[in-house]
Amino acid sequence: MPAPRIQILPDHSEQFVQTFAPKPDPVQEEMTTVADARGDRFPGEGSFPTVGQTVGGWLYQQARQSGIDRVFEFGSGFGYSAYWLARALTADGEIVLTERDRDELGLAREFMERGEFQATIQFEHGDAQSIFEQSTGDYDLVMLDHKNDEYPAAFDAVADRLSDGGLLVADNVMTAAIIETETLLAGLQDGELSDEANVHTQGVYEYLQTVRSDQRFATRLVPIGGGLAVSRLESGATEK
């Protein structure tokens, strides 16, 4: 059975952060209820693994920045994080949701259709990376929240498809029920990961080592939710 997720922020700190975040609307509150009701399907998580209100509010604030119009999600589940992002986008914006599970994507569509959004919303069923590679143009914000062991390959695909100053956000890079947190931390400190680490931990380790050594990106860790790696493509770093 997976280990319980390690809580990064104490409850009172989480509550302080949420006072500065936008409040969830009634549809998002319903989505949280749905996630909680499905918790028995995800041992160690306590609920269906959404990013939660704190990370959702943070994503909303990032997407509100000037220049964020095109958004792509690797792994959307039933649309919780996409809903926060879509709330922030203007009529010029567009967001692409991707999900392997057809039922989850259908539920995401149901929730998103009830939201009051200005942006164009696209729903794609299948492998996120394949869908991304078949798309055209650059994106201003890309969210990785699919299988951790696929993060390194996703970086290779996304790195040259971000706009100048674009954001690449990877979720669950510090803790999750399937991540061996202490093993990951030791590997990052030592520069070498244990051969016994599981594939999810290996994927996060390789991803973090890659983004922090890539001079095109400025990367920071944000200790909310399961931990976010936020990489900004430096202006002019990549010639198109």
Side-chain angles (χ1 to χ4, degrees), residues 176-214:
I178 56 176
I179 298 297
E180 298 162 335
T181 303
E182 296 302 328
T183 301
L184 174 62
L185 177 59
L188 292 169
Q189 291 173 331
D190 299 340
E192 183 176 359
L193 189 68
S194 168
D195 293 337
E196 298 179 359
N198 66 33
V199 294
H200 311 288
T201 306
Q202 291 172 17
V204 172
Y205 172 80
E206 182 181 340
Y207 178 83
L208 292 177
Q209 291 289 68
T210 299
V211 295
R212 76 175 182 176
S213 62
D214 193 314

Coordinates of all heavy atoms in Angstrom, one line a residue, residues 176-214:
A176 N 4.1 12.8 -2.6 CA 2.9 12.2 -3.1 C 2.9 10.8 -2.5 O 3.9 10.3 -2.1 CB 2.8 12.2 -4.6
A177 N 1.7 10.1 -2.6 CA 1.7 8.8 -2.0 C 2.6 7.8 -2.7 O 3.1 6.8 -2.1 CB 0.2 8.2 -2.1
I178 N 2.9 8.0 -4.0 CA 3.7 7.1 -4.8 C 5.2 7.6 -4.8 O 6.0 6.9 -5.4 CB 3.1 6.9 -6.2 CG1 3.0 8.3 -6.9 CG2 1.8 6.2 -6.2 CD1 2.5 8.2 -8.4
I179 N 5.5 8.8 -4.3 CA 6.8 9.3 -4.3 C 7.5 8.9 -3.0 O 7.0 9.1 -1.9 CB 6.8 10.8 -4.5 CG1 6.2 11.2 -5.8 CG2 8.3 11.4 -4.4 CD1 7.0 10.7 -7.0
E180 N 8.7 8.4 -3.1 CA 9.5 8.1 -1.9 C 10.3 9.4 -1.5 O 11.4 9.6 -2.0 CB 10.5 6.9 -2.2 CG 9.7 5.6 -2.5 CD 10.6 4.6 -3.3 OE1 11.5 5.0 -3.9 OE2 10.2 3.4 -3.2
T181 N 9.7 10.2 -0.7 CA 10.1 11.5 -0.5 C 11.5 11.6 0.1 O 12.4 12.3 -0.4 CB 9.1 12.3 0.5 OG1 7.8 12.2 -0.1 CG2 9.6 13.7 0.7
E182 N 11.8 10.8 1.1 CA 13.1 10.8 1.7 C 14.2 10.3 0.8 O 15.3 10.9 0.7 CB 13.1 10.0 3.0 CG 12.2 10.5 4.1 CD 12.5 11.9 4.5 OE1 13.7 12.3 4.5 OE2 11.6 12.7 4.9
T183 N 13.9 9.3 0.0 CA 14.8 8.8 -1.0 C 15.1 9.9 -2.1 O 16.3 10.1 -2.5 CB 14.3 7.6 -1.7 OG1 14.0 6.5 -0.7 CG2 15.2 7.0 -2.7
L184 N 14.1 10.6 -2.5 CA 14.2 11.7 -3.5 C 15.1 12.8 -2.9 O 16.0 13.2 -3.6 CB 12.8 12.2 -3.8 CG 12.8 13.4 -4.8 CD1 13.5 13.1 -6.1 CD2 11.4 13.9 -5.0
L185 N 14.8 13.2 -1.7 CA 15.6 14.3 -1.1 C 17.1 13.9 -1.0 O 18.0 14.7 -1.3 CB 15.0 14.7 0.3 CG 15.8 15.7 1.0 CD1 15.9 17.0 0.3 CD2 15.1 16.0 2.4
A186 N 17.3 12.7 -0.5 CA 18.7 12.2 -0.4 C 19.4 12.2 -1.7 O 20.6 12.6 -1.9 CB 18.8 10.8 0.3
G187 N 18.7 11.8 -2.8 CA 19.3 11.8 -4.1 C 19.6 13.1 -4.6 O 20.7 13.4 -5.2
L188 N 18.7 14.1 -4.4 CA 19.0 15.5 -4.8 C 20.2 16.1 -4.1 O 21.0 16.9 -4.6 CB 17.8 16.3 -4.6 CG 16.6 16.0 -5.5 CD1 15.3 16.7 -5.1 CD2 16.9 16.3 -7.0
Q189 N 20.3 15.7 -2.8 CA 21.4 16.3 -2.0 C 22.7 15.6 -2.4 O 23.8 16.3 -2.4 CB 21.1 16.0 -0.5 CG 20.0 16.9 0.1 CD 19.6 16.5 1.5 OE1 19.8 15.3 1.9 NE2 19.1 17.4 2.2
D190 N 22.7 14.3 -2.7 CA 23.9 13.6 -3.0 C 24.3 13.6 -4.5 O 25.4 13.3 -4.8 CB 23.8 12.1 -2.6 CG 23.6 12.0 -1.0 OD1 23.9 12.9 -0.3 OD2 23.0 10.9 -0.6
G191 N 23.3 14.0 -5.3 CA 23.6 14.0 -6.7 C 23.5 12.6 -7.4 O 23.8 12.4 -8.5
E192 N 22.9 11.6 -6.6 CA 22.8 10.3 -7.1 C 21.6 9.6 -6.4 O 21.6 9.6 -5.2 CB 24.1 9.5 -6.9 CG 24.0 8.1 -7.5 CD 25.3 7.3 -7.4 OE1 26.3 7.9 -6.8 OE2 25.4 6.2 -7.8
L193 N 20.7 9.1 -7.2 CA 19.5 8.4 -6.6 C 19.7 6.9 -6.3 O 20.4 6.3 -7.1 CB 18.3 8.6 -7.5 CG 16.9 8.2 -7.0 CD1 16.5 9.1 -5.9 CD2 15.9 8.2 -8.1
S194 N 19.2 6.4 -5.3 CA 19.3 5.0 -5.0 C 18.7 4.2 -6.1 O 17.7 4.5 -6.7 CB 18.5 4.7 -3.7 OG 18.4 3.3 -3.5
D195 N 19.4 3.1 -6.4 CA 18.9 2.2 -7.4 C 17.6 1.5 -7.1 O 16.9 1.0 -7.9 CB 20.0 1.1 -7.7 CG 21.3 1.6 -8.3 OD1 21.2 2.7 -9.0 OD2 22.3 1.0 -8.1
E196 N 17.3 1.5 -5.8 CA 16.0 0.9 -5.3 C 14.8 1.8 -5.4 O 13.7 1.4 -5.1 CB 16.2 0.4 -3.9 CG 17.3 -0.7 -3.8 CD 17.5 -1.2 -2.3 OE1 16.8 -0.7 -1.4 OE2 18.4 -2.0 -2.1
A197 N 15.0 3.1 -5.8 CA 13.9 4.0 -5.9 C 12.9 3.5 -6.9 O 13.3 3.0 -8.0 CB 14.4 5.4 -6.3
N198 N 11.6 3.7 -6.7 CA 10.6 3.3 -7.6 C 10.6 4.2 -8.9 O 11.2 5.3 -8.9 CB 9.2 3.2 -7.0 CG 8.6 4.5 -6.5 OD1 8.9 5.6 -7.2 ND2 7.9 4.5 -5.5
V199 N 9.9 3.8 -9.9 CA 9.9 4.5 -11.2 C 9.4 5.9 -11.0 O 9.8 6.9 -11.8 CB 9.2 3.8 -12.3 CG1 9.9 2.5 -12.6 CG2 7.7 3.5 -11.9
H200 N 8.4 6.2 -10.1 CA 7.8 7.5 -10.0 C 8.9 8.4 -9.4 O 9.0 9.6 -9.8 CB 6.6 7.4 -9.1 CG 5.6 6.3 -9.5 ND1 4.9 6.5 -10.6 CD2 5.3 5.1 -9.0 CE1 4.1 5.4 -10.7 NE2 4.4 4.6 -9.8
T201 N 9.6 7.9 -8.4 CA 10.6 8.7 -7.7 C 11.8 9.0 -8.7 O 12.3 10.1 -8.8 CB 11.2 8.0 -6.5 OG1 10.1 7.7 -5.6 CG2 12.2 8.9 -5.7
Q202 N 12.1 8.0 -9.5 CA 13.2 8.1 -10.5 C 12.8 9.2 -11.5 O 13.6 10.1 -11.9 CB 13.4 6.8 -11.2 CG 14.0 5.7 -10.4 CD 14.1 4.4 -11.1 OE1 13.9 4.3 -12.3 NE2 14.2 3.3 -10.4
G203 N 11.5 9.2 -11.9 CA 11.1 10.2 -12.9 C 11.2 11.6 -12.4 O 11.6 12.5 -13.1
V204 N 10.7 11.8 -11.1 CA 10.8 13.2 -10.5 C 12.3 13.6 -10.3 O 12.6 14.8 -10.6 CB 10.1 13.2 -9.2 CG1 10.3 14.5 -8.5 CG2 8.6 13.0 -9.4
Y205 N 13.1 12.7 -9.9 CA 14.5 13.0 -9.7 C 15.2 13.4 -11.0 O 15.8 14.5 -11.1 CB 15.3 11.8 -9.1 CG 16.8 11.9 -9.1 CD1 17.3 12.6 -8.1 CD2 17.6 11.4 -10.1 CE1 18.7 12.8 -8.0 CE2 18.9 11.5 -10.0 CZ 19.5 12.3 -9.0 OH 20.9 12.4 -9.0
E206 N 14.9 12.7 -12.1 CA 15.5 13.0 -13.4 C 15.0 14.3 -13.9 O 15.7 15.2 -14.4 CB 15.2 11.9 -14.4 CG 15.8 12.2 -15.7 CD 15.5 11.1 -16.7 OE1 15.1 9.9 -16.3 OE2 15.6 11.3 -18.0
Y207 N 13.7 14.6 -13.7 CA 13.1 15.8 -14.1 C 13.7 17.0 -13.4 O 14.1 18.0 -14.0 CB 11.6 15.8 -13.9 CG 10.9 17.1 -14.3 CD1 10.5 17.3 -15.6 CD2 10.6 18.1 -13.3 CE1 9.9 18.5 -15.9 CE2 10.0 19.3 -13.7 CZ 9.7 19.5 -15.0 OH 9.1 20.7 -15.3
L208 N 13.8 16.9 -12.1 CA 14.4 18.0 -11.3 C 15.8 18.3 -11.6 O 16.3 19.4 -11.7 CB 14.2 17.8 -9.8 CG 12.7 17.8 -9.3 CD1 12.7 17.5 -7.8 CD2 12.1 19.2 -9.5
Q209 N 16.6 17.2 -11.8 CA 18.0 17.4 -12.1 C 18.1 18.1 -13.5 O 19.0 18.9 -13.7 CB 18.7 16.0 -12.2 CG 18.9 15.4 -10.8 CD 19.9 16.1 -9.9 OE1 19.7 17.3 -9.5 NE2 21.0 15.5 -9.7
T210 N 17.2 17.8 -14.4 CA 17.2 18.3 -15.8 C 16.9 19.8 -15.7 O 17.6 20.6 -16.3 CB 16.3 17.6 -16.7 OG1 16.7 16.2 -16.8 CG2 16.3 18.2 -18.1
V211 N 15.8 20.2 -15.1 CA 15.3 21.6 -15.1 C 16.3 22.5 -14.4 O 16.4 23.7 -14.7 CB 13.9 21.7 -14.7 CG1 12.9 21.0 -15.6 CG2 13.7 21.3 -13.2
R212 N 16.9 22.0 -13.3 CA 17.7 22.9 -12.5 C 19.1 23.1 -13.2 O 19.8 24.0 -12.8 CB 17.9 22.4 -11.1 CG 18.7 21.3 -10.8 CD 18.8 21.1 -9.3 NE 19.7 20.0 -8.9 CZ 20.0 19.7 -7.6 NH1 19.4 20.3 -6.6 NH2 20.8 18.7 -7.3
S213 N 19.4 22.2 -14.1 CA 20.7 22.4 -14.8 C 20.6 23.0 -16.2 O 21.6 23.3 -16.8 CB 21.4 21.0 -14.9 OG 20.6 20.1 -15.7
D214 N 19.4 23.1 -16.7 CA 19.1 23.7 -18.0 C 19.2 25.2 -17.9 O 18.3 25.8 -17.3 CB 17.8 23.3 -18.5 CG 17.6 23.6 -20.0 OD1 17.9 24.7 -20.4 OD2 17.2 22.7 -20.8

